[in-house]
Amino acid sequence: MIKRTLLFLLLWGVSSIGAVGQQTCIGSTKLACQIPVVTRAAYQGTVGDPAAAFSSSFATQLGQLPLLSSGSGVVLTLDKTMGIYVASENLGPILTDRAQTIGRHKLLLAFAYQKFVFNSIDGTSLGSVPFVFTATSPSGSIVLQQTDKIGMNLNQYVGLATFGLDNKTDISVVIPFERVAVGVYAVGNQYFISSDNKAEGPPAPFTSYAPGSASGIGDVLINAKRLIWSGRDEKTHLAAGLLVRFPTGDALNYLGSGAYGFDPYAVLAYQTSRVSPHLRLGYQFNTSTVLIPTFNKVDNKFTGYSNLPGGFQYDVGADAVLFKKVPTTLAGDLVGNYIVNAPVLVPGTVPIPGYNMAPFNVPDQKTLIPRISSYNSAQLSIGLKVKPVGNLILYGNVLIQLNNVGLRSNPVPLVGIS
């Protein structure tokens, strides 16, 4: 029995690795190939396979991570009483764009660090993830039931440069460097089923542990923004831009989304001496990604890749001047994404054929079932920006997800300098 099981799992594992993106994962040690296989959740091209949706959720998260503002914390505003432009005491937002540009031939350099520690997927705690799926063979099948404890975190170091082409146009480049760490501890049972759906002996318990990590450049972004209108009072500003994401990160190591992204947007802001509200609206379009393979439902053959989910983006917030002697600004934002037609994992139960009757009477087992759904992800961003000397700005921020959807993280700390 042990030899047959080991041989069966070996053959099944080899065939499963090849199924992830076809030739992409053969002999690979990349996280998207190794972690699903070791946890017995490899792509099998079936409706009940949760691994594709798991990697897809992570890819969706990587495509939506909020990054630094590409706008300078120091902008000039017209003082009508003096008839000159002076530096604003409001240092602006942290995770979203200002409507104002930085000025002709001006250069902004910034660096920040963020840490994401993921704790749940589509409402299911990563500390207890149930999986049930089947590996088949000509002589029968093995149903694997397991509960996984998954640790997953992302450390992100972000460099940003913004250059003013003219007084109304900025070009920004954002380069993230990332380190992803994943660890999975699985406990479960193997059920051996004959070709006529009869139980073949008692279930065999198993445990496994799969650690993995990867580091490298993430997806590089280029942002072009133009100030298209300013009110006569020099307080109201409207800008439009295009943020383009390039799939430079290794998607199979979860360092990038694996897809090109295009985010046209508009920013409306109103500047006062103390409080400056702003609104950003955009829509994210994405191309296909290796992390979302598709299969023919008839014969389960690989057919290609699906687009990374995109959707409507909104950001509403305000920046308030706290202190003027040492310029300090409190920045708060509601950052939202309405993600359209995304893979999600829904809790459900499935029977174990042959074992759901005497003499074993195994009850239906919990599992996660892949579905396609649209959902809204809302996060609260709140932080401080301080200008201790010259044009040097220090800032800290925390990002808190308000609802339990997608791949959810603990509160995300950010520290930076520009």
Side-chain angles (χ1 to χ4, degrees):
M1 175 68 74
I2 294 176
K3 289 183 178 180
R4 184 183 67 174
T5 301
L6 291 176
L7 178 61
F8 184 85
L9 290 176
L10 176 63
L11 294 174
W12 170 68
V14 171
S15 64
S16 298
I17 293 175
V20 186
Q22 294 298 288
Q23 301 301 315
T24 309
C25 276
I26 294 180
S28 175
T29 59
K30 296 181 183 293
L31 297 181
C33 305
Q34 291 299 312
I35 297 301
V37 170
V38 175
T39 62
R40 313 296 193 262
Y43 298 110
Q44 299 176 66
T46 63
V47 176
D49 171 25
F54 189 88
S55 287
S56 300
S57 264
F58 201 37
T60 301
Q61 180 78 15
L62 291 173
Q64 305 287 344
L65 292 181
L67 297 172
L68 289 176
S69 167
S70 59
S72 173
V74 180
V75 298
L76 299 179
T77 56
L78 179 63
D79 186 329
K80 291 187 175 182
T81 60
M82 301 176 61
I84 61 173
Y85 283 90
V86 297
S88 170
E89 294 171 331
N90 190 306
L91 304 178
I94 295 176
L95 292 182
T96 190
D97 280 297
R98 300 184 88 146
Q100 300 99 317
T101 51
I102 68 172
R104 182 175 181 268
H105 293 175
K106 296 294 191 297
L107 176 65
L108 164 73
L109 299 176
F111 176 82
Y113 165 76
Q114 293 187 93
K115 183 178 181 65
F116 297 83
V117 178
F118 300 104
N119 57 46
S120 68
I121 183 168
D122 298 319
T124 298
S125 170
L126 291 183
S128 182
V129 180
F131 284 138
V132 175
F133 46 90
T134 304
T136 59
S137 75
S139 61
S141 61
I142 296 180
V143 173
L144 297 111
Q145 169 274 321
Q146 65 189 55
T147 301
D148 294 348
K149 182 177 182 180
I150 303 174
M152 180 178 292
N153 62 70
L154 168 66
N155 290 277
Q156 187 179 70
Y157 307 84
V158 182
L160 177 146
T162 298
F163 182 73
L165 293 181
D166 56 38
N167 285 330
K168 293 187 176 182
T169 306
D170 288 347
I171 298 293
S172 303
V173 178
V174 182
I175 302 177
F177 181 87
E178 299 172 343
R179 185 180 188 279
V180 179
V182 183
V184 184
Y185 178 71
V187 177
N189 290 294
Q190 304 171 68
Y191 298 89
F192 307 95
I193 304 170
S194 65
S195 56
D196 56 355
N197 282 336
K198 293 183 179 180
E200 291 192 338
F206 75 90
T207 61
S208 65
Y209 176 67
S213 63
S215 301
I217 298 294
D219 287 351
V220 173
L221 299 99
I222 294 181
N223 184 31
K225 183 182 71 176
R226 183 167 179 82
L227 181 64
I228 59 177
W229 176 79
S230 293
R232 292 182 180 180
D233 57 3
E234 290 290 332
K235 293 182 179 180
T236 308
H237 304 277
L238 177 65
L242 176 65
L243 180 64
V244 181
R245 185 187 66 247
F246 295 85
T248 49
D250 186 346
L252 289 176
N253 266 328
Y254 295 140
L255 297 175
S257 64
Y260 287 93
F262 304 91
D263 179 15
Y265 65 90
V267 182
L268 177 65
Y270 183 77
Q271 180 114 16
T272 71
S273 60
R274 300 290 299 189
V275 179
S276 298
H278 54 260
L279 172 67
R280 182 191 188 277
L281 299 176
Y283 196 94
Q284 179 79 43
F285 300 91
N286 297 306
T287 61
S288 61
T289 172
V290 68
L291 291 175
I292 311 182
T294 57
F295 299 88
N296 188 309
K297 291 184 179 180
V298 177
D299 55 13
N300 289 332
K301 288 185 177 180
F302 172 79
T303 58
Y305 303 106
S306 294
N307 284 358
L308 182 71
F312 178 65
Q313 299 179 329
Y314 58 92
D315 184 317
V316 58
D319 320 310
V321 177
L322 293 184
F323 309 109
K324 294 184 177 182
K325 187 173 182 180
V326 177
T328 304
T329 296
L330 173 67
D333 286 274
L334 175 65
V335 181
N337 291 284
Y338 183 76
I339 302 173
V340 178
N341 295 332
V344 298
L345 293 170
V346 179
T349 59
V350 293
I352 308 295
Y355 286 84
N356 55 350
M357 58 187 69
F360 298 107
N361 295 318
V362 175
D364 291 356
Q365 298 294 301
K366 294 180 180 180
T367 189
L368 296 181
I369 302 172
R371 294 286 185 265
I372 299 296
S373 180
S374 300
Y375 60 86
N376 179 66
S377 174
Q379 301 177 89
L380 174 65
S381 169
I382 187 165
L384 288 174
K385 302 181 79 171
V386 180
K387 188 172 73 167
V389 60
N391 289 333
L392 177 68
I393 295 179
L394 307 175
Y395 43 94
N397 191 75
V398 62
L399 186 68
I400 303 169
Q401 188 161 336
L402 301 178
N403 52 352
N404 201 2
V405 295
L407 194 59
R408 190 173 189 267
S409 174
N410 292 343
V412 180
L414 177 148
V415 292
I417 183 174
S418 66

